[in-house]
Amino acid sequence: MFAHTGFMTALRNLGLNVTASSGCSAGAVVGGVIASGTPLEEWTNTLSRIHTAEFWQPASAWMLLYKLLVHRGRGVVGFSDTSAAIRFIESQLRVKNFEDCNYPFSSIAVDLATVEKRIFSAGPLAPAVMASAAIPGFYSPVSIDGRLYSDGAIYELAPAEAICCHHSLDALIVHHVQQQDLTQASLDNALKQPWTILNILQRLIIKTRPWYSTGDAISFSSCPCGCKAVVVVVEPVLPDLSWPMTDGGQAVLVAAKHHATEHLGPLLDRLKMSPRSLLEKLYDLSK
């Protein structure tokens, strides 16, 4: 949430107006809040004061142990339910439904019955946003219209077809925040962090690099769906922040904002006037 908020702040400061947006996991939370009309300054202030208990309320150790030993794990679908997180999201939204957002917004989740992607773009915002962020094992799935949904990152972090192909965009800017340091050293560090098992699960869940990611600070490609939109991918290297802790979040926010400003700033004229020229092979970013 901190990283994507820093990115959105950079876009605002650079004068890049959002025509439509789509978010997955933490990106769905930030994207939904801002699309609903909540001012960036207000949301940033909220994050600066946020406490883990506002979005993460795991069952007591005794209750979890009881369910695991006595009931043999029946009904244990996550360390925390989603009620607190949904209440937090609702408290930050200016509107209740997708249809009332300032611009088209969608969130991505996975239908656990079919293990297929679901793109939410209509109906109540808060449950759909939380469904996108309900990491399996961390949170219980979110029930929407009788079906259970979990974090869309299991399937895809930023599906281009959910947005650029639906809204005739010339450019799609992807803010890709994903742990790439899958090394023995990073594992050793994870073993020392609070909620170690959650850090391990996170490594297992989000382990593959999506099609648009090169690992470079900024890269360019075309939407694979044929709409000819230019896909600009921003991939920052950020300070460590162990989920679900919030200490150090402001450093992540500032780093993401600076990274986006540094790498998108030189491209402003092309992004605003001729985005497709970004794919020219001879284009020199130093110009």
Side-chain angles (χ1 to χ4, degrees):
M1 292 194 296
F2 292 100
H4 293 309
T5 300
F7 171 73
M8 293 300 290
T9 302
L11 293 188
R12 191 274 311 275
N13 292 346
L14 290 170
L16 289 170
N17 296 320
V18 177
T19 303
S21 72
S22 183
C24 179
S25 201
V29 178
V30 176
V33 168
I34 295 174
S36 78
T38 301
L40 258 172
E41 290 80 4
E42 181 179 316
W43 169 244
T44 302
N45 289 335
T46 296
L47 283 187
S48 70
R49 303 187 306 270
I50 194 171
H51 296 289
T52 302
E54 294 182 73
F55 59 88
W56 171 249
Q57 293 185 353
S60 69
W62 287 113
M63 179 58 70
L64 182 60
L65 187 62
Y66 176 79
K67 289 183 177 180
L68 289 175
L69 295 180
V70 177
H71 292 284
R72 300 182 182 180
R74 292 185 183 90
V76 178
V77 291
F79 281 94
S80 174
D81 68 23
T82 57
S83 56
I86 291 176
R87 286 195 300 270
F88 170 74
I89 293 169
E90 288 176 334
S91 72
Q92 302 305 312
L93 297 173
R94 288 297 178 89
V95 298
K96 293 183 177 181
N97 298 310
F98 282 90
E99 294 89 342
D100 299 319
C101 286
N102 285 351
Y103 47 76
F105 168 72
S106 59
S107 65
I108 315 302
V110 169
D111 185 327
L112 290 182
T114 61
V115 198
E116 293 179 345
K117 175 177 59 181
R118 167 74 185 274
I119 299 175
F120 289 95
S121 59
L125 263 172
V129 164
M130 185 56 216
S132 182
I135 308 172
F138 291 52
Y139 283 108
S140 302
V142 177
S143 178
I144 300 176
D145 296 330
R147 302 188 72 84
L148 295 178
Y149 296 93
S150 282
D151 195 327
I154 302 172
Y155 193 97
E156 199 168 12
L157 282 171
E161 80 279 5
I163 177 169
C164 59
C165 300
H166 286 218
H167 303 290
S168 302
L169 302 185
D170 293 312
L172 171 64
I173 304 177
V174 177
H175 190 231
H176 180 68
V177 179
Q178 179 179 349
Q179 181 181 9
Q180 297 291 353
D181 184 24
L182 298 179
T183 62
Q184 182 63 48
S186 68
L187 174 59
D188 292 341
N189 183 61
L191 294 174
K192 300 174 184 176
Q193 301 300 320
W195 293 99
T196 300
I197 190 171
L198 299 187
N199 283 284
I200 299 300
L201 282 171
Q202 189 174 38
R203 291 169 66 90
L204 294 174
I205 292 169
I206 307 174
K207 64 183 185 299
T208 57
R209 189 187 295 275
W211 66 266
Y212 55 79
S213 171
T214 63
D216 297 329
I218 189 166
S219 59
F220 312 92
S221 59
S222 297
C223 175
C225 303
C227 72
K228 298 182 179 180
V230 172
V231 181
V232 181
V233 185
V234 179
E235 300 188 54
V237 176
L238 302 173
D240 288 336
L241 182 63
S242 296
W243 197 95
M245 315 315 290
T246 58
D247 293 342
Q250 290 305 309
V252 172
L253 188 155
V254 170
K257 180 176 69 174
H258 286 172
H259 182 275
T261 301
E262 175 185 359
H263 293 282
L264 292 176
L267 308 178
L268 276 181
D269 289 342
R270 292 205 175 210
L271 281 170
K272 292 180 177 180
M273 302 301 296
S274 56
R276 290 184 176 85
S277 68
L278 292 170
L279 293 178
E280 294 176 1
K281 293 182 179 180
L282 299 179
Y283 179 55
D284 182 3
L285 290 179
S286 65
K287 292 180 180 180

